[in-house]
Amino acid sequence: MFSYFNVVRERDPAARSSLEILLCYPGMHALFFHRIAHFLYTHKWFLLARIISNFSRFMTGIEIHPGAHIGKGFFIDHGMGVVIGETAEVGDDVTLFHGVTLGGTGKDQGKRHPTIGNNVVIGTGAKILGPIHVGDYAKVGANAVVLKDVPSRHSAVGIPAVSIPQRQEKNPSFTNSVQVGTTEVARVV
């Protein structure tokens, strides 16, 4: 629980205090309720898990199905409108912004939702749909619609999303940007 405060401070420059994070960050509240609901879900208390999940959605505007697997260091910034489906798997140190959907397409049986690697940043309004994989250190641009796998260290942008390899900037002393194709893009993290 206390490590979450450090995660927020690292990724959100607006975070002023632990008390503010505890009281005013809906991503923290949603994650707290999800951990309880997920525990109940894995112990076959499905109805109680769904009730807690729905209460959390009502309170935070963030819907995380109790069956979803969420790694450590997970951070949702702002949060309103985030939806994470039942079979979604989210790795460690992942950042989501508001309006992100990790959803299904309605065509798949069994594993229906995406698998997100470690250290991934998913921009505002992005939709990642189906049983696809987003690799480690990938970035998904705002409002991108991702329907195919995104390799590690790639950026996915557009509708439908296209994966572009990330290249480190030529000046290694400046680490707040990456090269995407021929364009320098500010790093979200």
Side-chain angles (χ1 to χ4, degrees), residues 54-81:
N54 282 318
F55 174 76
S56 176
R57 180 182 63 184
F58 175 77
M59 295 301 292
T60 65
I62 299 169
E63 181 176 350
I64 306 174
H65 191 283
H69 294 272
I70 307 291
K72 63 183 173 65
F74 179 64
F75 176 57
I76 301 173
D77 199 2
H78 300 288
M80 184 60 74

Side-chain angles (χ1 to χ4, degrees), residues 88-92 94 96 102 114-118 120 122 128 132-136:
E89 299 173 47
V90 179
D92 296 336
V94 171
L96 302 183
L102 304 180
T115 298
I116 309 299
N118 300 321
V120 173
I122 302 175
I128 304 176
I132 62 174
H133 184 266
V134 176
D136 295 345

Side-chain angles (χ1 to χ4, degrees), residues 97-101 122-128 141-145:
F97 289 89
H98 60 280
V100 168
T101 299
I122 302 175
T124 301
K127 309 299 178 221
I128 304 176
N143 293 314
V145 178

